[in-house]
Amino acid sequence: MNIKNIIQPFIKKFPGDFSGNPMQRNTPKVLFSTITPAGFDHPKLIAFNEKLSEEIGLGTFEEKDVNFLVGNQLPENVKTYATAYAGHQFGNWAGQLGDGRAILAGEIANNSGERNEIQWKGAGATPYSRHADGRAVLRSSVREYLMSEAMFHLGVPTTRALSLAFTGEEVLRDMMYNGNPELEKGAVVIRTAESFLRFGHFELISAQQEYKTLQELADFTIENYFKEITSEGEQKYRDFFENICRRTADLMVEWYRVGFVHGVMNTDNMSVLGLTIDYGPYSMMDEYNLNFTPNTTDLPGRRYAFGKQGQVSQWNLWQLANALHPLIKDEKFLEEILNDYGSYFWESHDRMLCRKFGFDQLLTSDEKFFTSWQGLMQDLQFDYTLFFSCLENYDETTDLKNQFENASYIFLNAEDIARLQDFMDSYRHRQEKNIISREKSLELMSKTNPKFILRNYLLYQCIEEINNGKTEMLDMLTQALENPYHELYPEFSVKRPSGYDDISGCSTLSCSS
């Protein structure tokens, strides 16, 4: 691997703490602290993303490279570091946070000049670990490795995963925060992204009234990641904020398209580039439920429930607007952009639903149709993904119950089937308003609706197998997630078995997950 080509423009540009001190503390007026990964004596590779390594310019993997993959081997003259940021957590200002489990190596460029940051997750404590050890366990690492790649192949903007490796250590964790800690196998993931900059980076510097650094950070971000912005002066920062709003709304629509629930939409987990970032207690949607949250820490309020993600993203953007106000200094502009956010999001959301149903255009009457569909989905507990698979394969000449009963988590009685039939009749009438042919409509649906999603029970099974020294399911899931719009393994494209309904780490997850 070409680790000698790693560069570090961020730490050359901004104020930082170069002491290398891992003591957990406040680091005012800086954006990073240098820190060396903990080092592990017996690392063992579990999975390596060869395609991604070639794409970002790291090249091919050799056996000796496993040391770099857990942070043991560092390039010469590279100072690894963790960044400082702040955030609103569950709606409350949390002050300084930062990379508590993440350590950055820097950036790598490919032959086209495209740059990506490289970051270890789980390689040891940083000044921002908040009384934790900075380690990661196998289960959370597998979940991040597989899900970030699954989202990429679904076409959802996301950070990506380069490698997954055992550290050879055991880590003590209380998975459900209920006073029952257990030793678990430690692991490290390397994740990559064009940038890991978050809303929280801007919130921290603004809250500290370091406005010169705030402007420099905005300029750096625009210059490197928002090439489409060519304006100058205050207008540049207006365009910057508006662009972030647009990217965030587009990301939320993609989450709704595939049925992804993030679980912890704190402002420190929001990417300014509009990427899905920080895979913790997330879940893909099984039975459709707007009030579903996979995160036990989010109960009972369900702030980050599936149906609230669009609303919460707008709230988070209000906090970013407050942070950028010293650069924009125009309350009316910020209010207008944020008020327009809702209109843009909902129109984009409804156009996305049109594509899922195979409609070629959004009609005024579709709002009523979508509301009726949502009620049907929730009341009859239809599986979000499987329902659309049934819809694509629907045959009017075949018994309706036989076609849809395996997509529901309840027994469908005669009244349920009658309600489903009424909906299918309304769907047929809506299809008749299409300009495109039925064949083109089905083609639109097949490109929009995945046949495979990475369900929590599949991840649970995979983690159990890896714990027992097996990787067959890991290999199968990797193949399946790379081809989500095709059914490579029909056994994966079924609703969650009832035996997994109440298993911790499967149906219920914590921020430790």
Side-chain angles (χ1 to χ4, degrees):
M1 291 168 59
N2 303 319
I3 61 175
K4 293 182 179 179
N5 296 336
I6 292 174
I7 60 174
Q8 298 184 300
F10 190 84
I11 68 172
K12 292 179 179 179
K13 176 74 176 177
F14 297 107
D17 178 342
F18 286 89
S19 68
N21 183 359
M23 184 180 73
Q24 292 151 35
R25 63 196 188 278
N26 284 326
T27 57
K29 300 186 178 182
V30 304
L31 275 169
F32 66 89
S33 295
T34 58
I35 191 72
T36 302
F40 303 100
D41 293 334
H42 304 289
K44 181 181 178 183
L45 184 66
I46 303 171
F48 184 77
N49 192 333
E50 295 181 7
K51 293 179 183 177
L52 178 60
S53 185
E54 293 286 354
E55 286 173 14
I56 66 175
L58 276 174
T60 57
F61 171 79
E62 299 177 28
E63 194 64 35
K64 62 181 177 61
D65 292 326
V66 70
N67 279 308
F68 173 75
L69 300 182
V70 295
N72 286 352
Q73 176 190 359
L74 305 178
E76 293 182 11
N77 302 319
V78 164
K79 294 183 180 296
T80 53
Y81 62 99
T83 64
Y85 48 80
H88 285 80
Q89 298 193 321
F90 297 93
N92 299 307
W93 176 245
Q96 177 187 288
L97 300 167
D99 293 325
R101 281 196 295 174
I103 300 174
L104 285 123
E107 296 183 358
I108 188 78
N110 62 18
N111 292 332
S112 301
E114 299 168 331
R115 300 188 317 196
N116 280 276
E117 290 185 338
I118 300 171
Q119 183 183 88
W120 296 281
K121 186 172 183 179
T126 79
Y128 312 111
S129 295
R130 291 186 291 166
H131 308 293
D133 58 16
R135 265 69 167 174
V137 294
L138 176 67
R139 56 185 163 80
S140 64
S141 302
V142 171
R143 286 171 57 79
E144 174 123 17
Y145 180 85
L146 287 176
M147 195 64 209
S148 54
E149 286 303 293
M151 292 286 271
F152 171 77
H153 290 286
L154 283 165
V156 181
T158 180
T159 60
R160 298 194 63 187
L162 177 70
S163 62
L164 171 65
F166 285 120
T167 62
E169 285 188 342
E170 288 196 324
V171 180
L172 189 66
R173 286 291 182 272
D174 185 354
M175 183 171 71
M176 300 308 296
Y177 302 133
N178 59 4
N180 295 297
E182 295 182 1
L183 286 171
E184 302 183 47
K185 292 179 180 177
V188 171
V189 168
I190 286 188
R191 55 186 188 178
T192 74
E194 188 179 6
S195 173
F196 286 93
L197 284 169
R198 307 150 185 265
F199 289 14
H201 285 102
F202 294 87
E203 286 188 281
L204 176 67
I205 295 301
S206 186
Q208 294 178 350
Q209 299 182 9
E210 295 294 318
Y211 298 139
K212 183 176 183 294
T213 303
L214 177 68
Q215 183 172 354
E216 290 173 347
L217 181 60
D219 289 343
F220 176 87
T221 308
I222 293 166
E223 179 182 349
N224 287 281
Y225 313 117
F226 291 79
K227 303 291 187 182
E228 63 273 32
I229 296 178
T230 58
S231 51
E232 297 292 338
E234 196 172 296
Q235 185 59 43
K236 175 172 66 172
Y237 306 119
R238 288 194 183 102
D239 293 342
F240 177 47
F241 180 67
E242 188 170 6
N243 199 304
I244 294 172
C245 289
R246 186 66 57 92
R247 292 190 189 199
T248 302
D250 291 342
L251 177 65
M252 295 301 107
V253 170
E254 287 300 298
W255 286 3
Y256 281 114
R257 178 177 67 85
V258 300
F260 176 76
V261 193
H262 185 279
V264 199
M265 286 179 65
N266 298 327
T267 59
D268 54 290
N269 292 336
M270 298 291 291
S271 160
V272 295
L273 273 61
L275 305 175
T276 312
I277 193 170
D278 288 348
Y279 290 91
Y282 67 79
S283 181
M284 299 299 288
M285 180 71 64
D286 290 320
E287 59 266 48
Y288 186 86
N289 182 356
L290 292 172
N291 207 33
F292 169 68
T293 179
N295 185 2
T296 56
T297 314
D298 196 25
L299 300 174
R302 301 179 184 270
R303 177 182 178 83
Y304 299 141
F306 178 64
K308 295 179 181 176
Q309 292 182 134
Q311 173 188 338
V312 168
S313 65
Q314 186 180 33
W315 190 92
N316 288 343
L317 285 163
W318 275 103
Q319 312 319 309
L320 180 61
N322 290 333
L324 292 177
H325 180 262
L327 303 182
I328 297 173
K329 301 173 184 175
D330 188 339
E331 293 88 349
K332 185 177 180 181
F333 166 80
L334 291 170
E335 288 178 4
E336 287 177 352
I337 294 299
L338 287 163
N339 289 333
D340 289 344
Y341 178 86
S343 300
Y344 175 81
F345 165 76
W346 281 114
E347 182 175 351
S348 300
H349 174 273
D350 289 352
R351 290 188 184 279
M352 173 274 294
L353 280 182
C354 281
R355 295 192 295 275
K356 287 184 75 69
F357 281 102
F359 303 155
D360 58 0
Q361 57 185 320
L362 178 63
L363 304 179
T364 305
S365 59
D366 285 338
E367 182 177 355
K368 182 178 179 181
F369 175 83
F370 294 148
T371 300
S372 171
W373 164 73
Q374 287 178 327
L376 177 85
M377 293 291 288
Q378 294 217 158
D379 293 346
L380 273 57
Q381 295 185 31
F382 276 121
D383 186 279
Y384 186 52
T385 301
L386 297 180
F387 177 85
F388 283 100
S389 293
C390 292
L391 211 59
E392 282 186 55
N393 297 311
Y394 176 60
D395 182 353
E396 292 185 9
T397 65
T398 306
D399 181 72
L400 188 63
K401 182 176 182 179
N402 289 340
Q403 293 184 69
F404 281 86
E405 62 182 349
N406 288 331
S408 173
Y409 287 85
I410 62 171
F411 173 79
L412 298 177
N413 58 32
E415 184 179 343
D416 297 331
I417 294 302
R419 183 176 174 183
L420 176 60
Q421 184 63 66
D422 287 343
F423 172 80
M424 294 305 297
D425 290 342
S426 69
Y427 176 55
R428 186 181 68 254
H429 292 317
R430 174 60 183 85
Q431 279 185 312
E432 291 171 355
K433 298 177 182 179
N434 270 355
I435 298 174
I436 59 175
S437 66
R438 177 58 178 163
E439 289 72 24
K440 289 291 184 182
S441 175
L442 288 172
E443 183 179 333
L444 183 61
M445 295 175 74
S446 67
K447 291 179 179 178
T448 308
N449 298 310
K451 304 301 179 293
F452 168 82
I453 57 169
L454 195 56
R455 299 174 188 268
N456 270 344
Y457 86 87
L458 294 173
L459 282 162
Y460 181 86
Q461 291 177 352
C462 182
I463 292 164
E464 290 291 293
E465 285 202 2
I466 296 173
N467 258 317
N468 292 322
K470 301 176 183 178
T471 59
E472 181 181 357
M473 189 166 187
L474 173 65
D475 295 337
M476 292 174 67
L477 288 178
T478 299
Q479 292 179 47
L481 67 83
E482 289 177 350
N483 300 274
Y485 298 97
H486 303 278
E487 198 173 70
L488 293 187
Y489 297 103
E491 64 268 34
F492 292 160
S493 296
V494 297
K495 63 187 179 184
R496 181 191 67 252
S498 59
Y500 291 94
D501 287 351
D502 299 308
I503 294 180
S504 297
C506 180
S507 59
T508 54
L509 299 147
S510 72
C511 287
S512 171
S513 301

